[in-house]
Amino acid sequence: MLLGSIEAGGTKFVCAVGDQNYQVKQSVTFPTTDPATTIQKSIEFFQQFSNLSAIGIASFGPIEIRRSAPNYGFVTSTPKPGWKDIDFVGPIQQALNVPVYWTTDVNGSAYGEWVAYQQAGQALDSLVYYTVGTGIGAGIVNDGHFIGSQGHPELGHVYVKKHPNDADFTGICPFHSDCLEGLASGPTFKARLGIAGQNVPLSNPTWDIIAYYVAQALIQTTLAFRPAKIIIGGGVSSEFFLKKVRQQFKELLNDYIEVGRLEDYIVMPKVANNGSATLGDFALAAKELENNY
């Protein structure tokens, strides 16, 4: 038996197959182009495996996750050109005839982290996974279940208070301008400074501004959900960045509630090499297979 994973990002797709222990056996990565081409490449990868039993898909969004909705399995109001209102799950199921678990990219990563802690004998009853990169999003797992029945959380689009040294920056979100994603995602470095985030020196004060916004979001999440742990992944995430976020978090929270040692509360992903979503997809595929039989 093999389990499938599609980590569908706005820039690239990562398709993989794994065994019952969620170990990757084979994978392929290719650019996200138009929907027909990209979905067909995914199908062709999985058609190599006659013993494929189920697939987990963790996709960029927004997506429709309500199984009762007529457009369940669709990418919906995404700003990604060409992908708005696209049926994703339908073509996969039609071509491969296997059960499919459909969720967001950050939900997939959150579930993968939850499984990884279980596998390490450090089971958590709850966690929140944030990705901070080209976009910002978050998935929440509580007692093995996702939060959000009418739709998935959109924590990247909460509003935050502007940093005093960032008052003139309008933000880049096409929907909200200065929401969290509009102020703190990776492309905001280039919008502010004219250079990509990976080329911005660590001494640049923009890092403190980004950390200020992310810390506010983590405080909102902490106060709303009280998770056992918050995990920060994505292209902007690093121990250098998390140190700044923890410092801002501590100052802004001002000891209002106890969250424990911040180095244990706000952490980097446990799964190495950006593999959280793939692990989560395998586990969710296994769960979907069990529910179908």
Side-chain angles (χ1 to χ4, degrees), residues 8-228:
T11 302
K12 66 180 180 180
F13 269 43
V14 180
C15 297
V17 292
D19 60 21
Q20 297 177 65
N21 297 316
Y22 310 151
Q23 297 299 306
V24 175
K25 294 301 181 183
Q26 193 170 329
S27 67
V28 65
T29 301
F30 46 84
T32 307
T33 57
D34 64 277
T37 301
T38 310
I39 293 172
Q40 183 59 33
K41 280 187 177 181
S42 303
I43 290 169
E44 289 170 359
F45 170 76
F46 291 112
Q47 283 175 331
Q48 303 174 78
F49 307 99
S50 59
N51 54 341
L52 184 71
S53 298
I55 295 177
I57 303 177
S59 175
F60 70 93
I63 64 175
E64 179 55 75
I65 63 169
R66 295 172 295 175
R67 293 179 188 249
S68 60
N71 61 336
Y72 168 74
F74 278 55
V75 178
T76 58
S77 57
T78 179
K80 175 74 174 172
W83 282 83
K84 184 177 180 181
D85 298 324
I86 292 296
D87 185 4
F88 194 146
V89 172
I92 297 290
Q93 284 186 317
Q94 184 176 4
L96 301 173
N97 194 30
V98 295
V100 173
Y101 194 102
W102 168 246
T103 193
T104 64
D105 47 4
V106 283
N107 270 355
S109 293
Y111 203 79
E113 288 292 308
W114 185 75
V115 170
Y117 275 94
Q118 282 189 315
Q119 291 176 334
Q122 303 168 338
L124 301 173
D125 55 8
S126 61
L127 63 80
V128 177
Y129 177 97
Y130 271 88
T131 184
V132 183
T134 304
I136 297 180
I140 307 167
V141 178
N142 188 67
D143 289 334
H145 300 283
F146 293 124
I147 297 295
S149 61
Q150 295 305 299
H152 50 82
E154 283 286 359
L155 294 179
H157 293 270
V158 298
Y159 286 97
V160 290
K161 183 168 64 174
K162 294 289 287 287
H163 191 285
N165 297 333
D166 201 38
D168 294 334
F169 182 62
T170 58
I172 64 170
C173 174
F175 293 95
H176 313 118
S177 295
D178 59 356
C179 63
L180 176 65
E181 183 172 289
L183 293 173
S185 60
T188 65
F189 282 98
K190 190 166 187 178
R192 288 184 178 91
L193 305 172
I195 54 176
Q198 62 264 33
N199 298 322
V200 176
L202 299 183
S203 58
N204 191 292
T206 304
W207 285 105
D208 296 293
I209 292 172
I210 301 296
Y212 176 74
Y213 294 134
V214 172
Q216 287 185 63
L218 302 196
I219 287 175
Q220 293 182 34
T221 297
T222 297
L223 297 178
F225 302 109
R226 298 304 303 273

Side-chain angles (χ1 to χ4, degrees), residues 243-260:
K243 185 175 181 180
K244 288 185 175 294
V245 171
R246 293 182 193 115
Q247 180 182 353
Q248 297 275 9
F249 182 95
K250 180 177 176 60
E251 292 176 8
L252 293 169
L253 187 62
N254 197 28
D255 295 324
Y256 178 63
I257 57 172
E258 174 60 42
V259 297

Side-chain angles (χ1 to χ4, degrees), residues 229-275:
K229 199 174 291 287
I230 298 178
I231 299 158
I232 310 293
V236 173
S237 181
S238 67
E239 281 297 345
F240 161 82
F241 180 64
L242 261 61
K243 185 175 181 180
K244 288 185 175 294
V245 171
R246 293 182 193 115
Q247 180 182 353
Q248 297 275 9
F249 182 95
K250 180 177 176 60
E251 292 176 8
L252 293 169
L253 187 62
N254 197 28
D255 295 324
Y256 178 63
I257 57 172
E258 174 60 42
V259 297
R261 187 171 175 266
L262 289 182
E263 288 78 6
D264 298 324
Y265 181 62
I266 301 171
V267 300
M268 294 282 288
K270 193 171 189 67
V271 183
N273 301 318
N274 298 313

